[in-house]
Amino acid sequence: MCPPLFYGIEYEINPWMSTERQADHKLAGEQWDGLRAALQSAGASIELMTPVKGLPDLVFTANAAMVYRDRAIVARFKHPQRQGETPLDRAWLEHDGLSVDDPPADLSFEGAGDALFCGDTLYAGYRMRSDAGGHQQIGEMLGVRVLPLELADPYYYHLDTCFCPLSQSEAVYFPGAFDEYGQKVLEANVPTLIPVAADEARSFACNAVVVGKTVVTNAGCPQLHKQLKERGYTPIATPLGEFVKAGGSAKCLTLRLDGEEAAAWKQTAD
Ligand code: ARG
């Protein structure tokens, strides 16, 4: 995670962002602290990145890279406003001991924001931020199966805003963010899909962090939380409204370094 010292709405690169609707700096700090505390209470240990002035979206560490075992594919951001983050992400990941590769040449790739394992498959969102061809090549580089999913609604511009694997066979999703083909791909490949309603999707219900059986989301997702409880999960709500102003929430503010719970490779790792 990266503390929100220099976080703010300094440009507009997704429909949630308006420079006229600034984040409250103090409240953002409190909300970020609340998320960190919730994750720690679920058993996560948190490593920090140093915030940098002029890179307000550096807080959204999900986009830094995609981690696979001891490797990381660092991001190549679509928008110039975020491209300054990549050298810092690369240095941090290398210092952490990961072997860091670039995405395939000239293709944009926004890390775990658009590439999520569920079982042994990498689900990969494209069109808004990451390129479809890049995902396929990343799959070849890593030797994993990739299922590309076209993102159809600009409000759900990263896959992690509308899809959240919970385990190797279960995921939360917002159907309205996908085209018909994408919905069919998900239905055919994820044994249990938990749909969220449009109003909860807008509260970033799908942008959840899973730590063991604990699922941490923004406040305002009571229906999803009820469903999670019925399935044996422990949902935690923590308000993240100041980050929603930038188009992000719980999951966007984190990058899992040791493998998501839903990734088959995590279970088999030493
Ligand atoms: N303002 C950031 C952007 O538009 C938000 C990133 C949210 N991250 C995520 N993984 N969905 O790039």
Side-chain angles (χ1 to χ4, degrees):
M1 295 179 75
C2 175
L5 195 59
F6 301 111
Y7 168 68
I9 316 298
E10 293 179 17
Y11 44 76
E12 297 170 6
I13 57 171
N14 68 54
W16 302 88
M17 300 175 90
S18 162
T19 50
E20 271 150 39
R21 201 172 58 246
Q22 234 357 282
D24 177 322
H25 189 73
K26 186 167 170 279
L27 184 55
E30 289 165 9
Q31 292 185 344
W32 186 91
D33 287 343
L35 173 64
R36 179 165 68 163
L39 296 172
Q40 284 170 329
S41 78
S45 64
I46 311 287
E47 293 182 44
L48 295 180
M49 205 175 162
T50 308
V52 173
K53 197 165 168 27
L55 294 175
D57 277 339
L58 195 63
V59 291
F60 296 113
T61 50
N63 299 121
M66 188 203 72
V67 176
Y68 177 70
R69 299 183 188 272
D70 57 353
R71 298 177 70 175
I73 314 290
V74 77
R76 181 178 297 117
F77 284 97
K78 176 148 188 149
H79 297 288
Q81 292 93 329
R82 292 198 67 182
Q83 287 168 358
E85 297 177 30
T86 297
L88 302 166
D89 293 332
R90 170 186 288 281
W92 195 97
L93 294 160
E94 280 174 351
H95 186 255
D96 200 56
L98 291 155
S99 150
V100 182
D101 287 305
D102 281 312
D106 303 327
L107 297 169
S108 57
F109 173 69
E110 298 204 354
D114 269 333
L116 299 167
F117 280 96
C118 188
D120 53 14
T121 300
L122 185 64
Y123 291 84
Y126 70 94
R127 186 170 139 187
M128 311 282 173
R129 297 297 185 88
S130 300
D131 292 312
H135 287 315
Q136 287 300 0
Q137 290 183 52
I138 287 169
E140 283 161 30
M141 274 162 75
L142 302 178
V144 299
R145 181 169 88 129
V146 175
L147 287 177
L149 297 165
E150 180 163 357
L151 301 176
D153 178 339
Y155 278 92
Y156 302 98
Y157 58 93
H158 277 140
L159 183 63
D160 69 0
T161 63
C162 51
F163 177 65
C164 176
L166 297 171
S167 71
Q168 291 199 47
S169 60
E170 296 165 298
V172 173
Y173 80 131
F174 173 49
F178 299 93
D179 62 9
E180 221 175 290
Y181 181 75
Q183 291 181 26
K184 286 212 175 92
V185 168
L186 287 169
E187 284 158 17
N189 288 278
V190 182
T192 303
L193 279 171
I194 304 170
V196 307
D199 61 324
E200 295 202 359
R202 282 189 88 91
S203 297
F204 279 80
C206 301
N207 199 245
V209 186
V210 185
V211 183
K213 294 291 264 183
T214 303
V215 183
V216 182
T217 71
N218 184 23
C221 317
Q223 294 174 63
L224 173 64
H225 283 208
K226 187 167 171 279
Q227 295 192 74
L228 289 171
K229 273 188 208 145
E230 284 163 9
R231 294 184 174 275
Y233 288 91
T234 307
I236 299 182
T238 190
L240 291 164
E242 294 310 302
F243 297 97
V244 170
K245 291 176 178 172
S249 185
K251 165 74 182 194
C252 305
L253 291 164
T254 67
L255 177 65
R256 183 78 182 244
L257 294 167
D258 61 345
E260 298 287 350
E261 307 296 338
W265 64 264
K266 179 195 173 68
Q267 317 300 331
T268 55
D270 296 333

